[in-house]
Amino acid sequence: MDIEKYLEDMLKACPAWVKGTTIVVACSGGADSLALTDLVAYLAPGMDIKAKVLHVEHHLRGDEAEADAKLVEEFCRRSRLEFKRVDVDVNK
């Protein structure tokens, strides 16, 4: 089974999945979450779902974390995916 079919079957098995629904993909900016985001975005039109992307910036890693946030934002812009960034100060 290829990964596209595996993910599609997994999404369809989810009790929250309904045609026409919106799926929020949490994307950290790492290679694995970018790949998942890209794959969900690729599958979404054929599954009659909408994909949105969420990035949570915890402000724990300084410039490196900010670079990850910018990477995800740019990836979404190029891929025409709706992007939302949430900033959380976990030290408070």
Side-chain angles (χ1 to χ4, degrees):
M1 177 182 296
D2 64 40
I3 192 161
E4 293 169 8
K5 179 69 173 141
Y6 179 80
L7 181 59
E8 184 177 359
D9 290 348
M10 187 174 68
L11 289 171
K12 286 180 178 178
C14 177
W17 182 82
V18 177
K19 283 189 176 203
T21 197
T22 298
I23 293 197
V24 178
V25 182
C27 186
S28 68
D32 55 345
S33 66
L34 284 168
L36 176 64
T37 301
D38 192 44
L39 184 54
V40 169
Y42 172 77
L43 291 173
M47 294 180 67
D48 194 23
I49 59 176
K50 181 175 181 177
K52 295 183 179 183
V53 180
L54 173 68
H55 178 83
V56 179
E57 172 56 81
H58 297 95
H59 298 280
L60 294 174
R61 298 182 297 121
D63 291 342
E64 182 183 352
E66 187 60 31
D68 288 344
K70 297 290 186 191
L71 174 70
V72 175
E73 184 174 16
E74 177 61 20
F75 176 84
C76 290
R77 186 190 65 73
R78 284 192 327 264
S79 301
R80 296 188 179 106
L81 293 168
E82 187 174 331
F83 170 77
K84 171 87 172 163
R85 173 181 169 158
V86 175
D87 289 86
V88 178
D89 188 344
V90 296
N91 290 320
K92 287 185 178 180

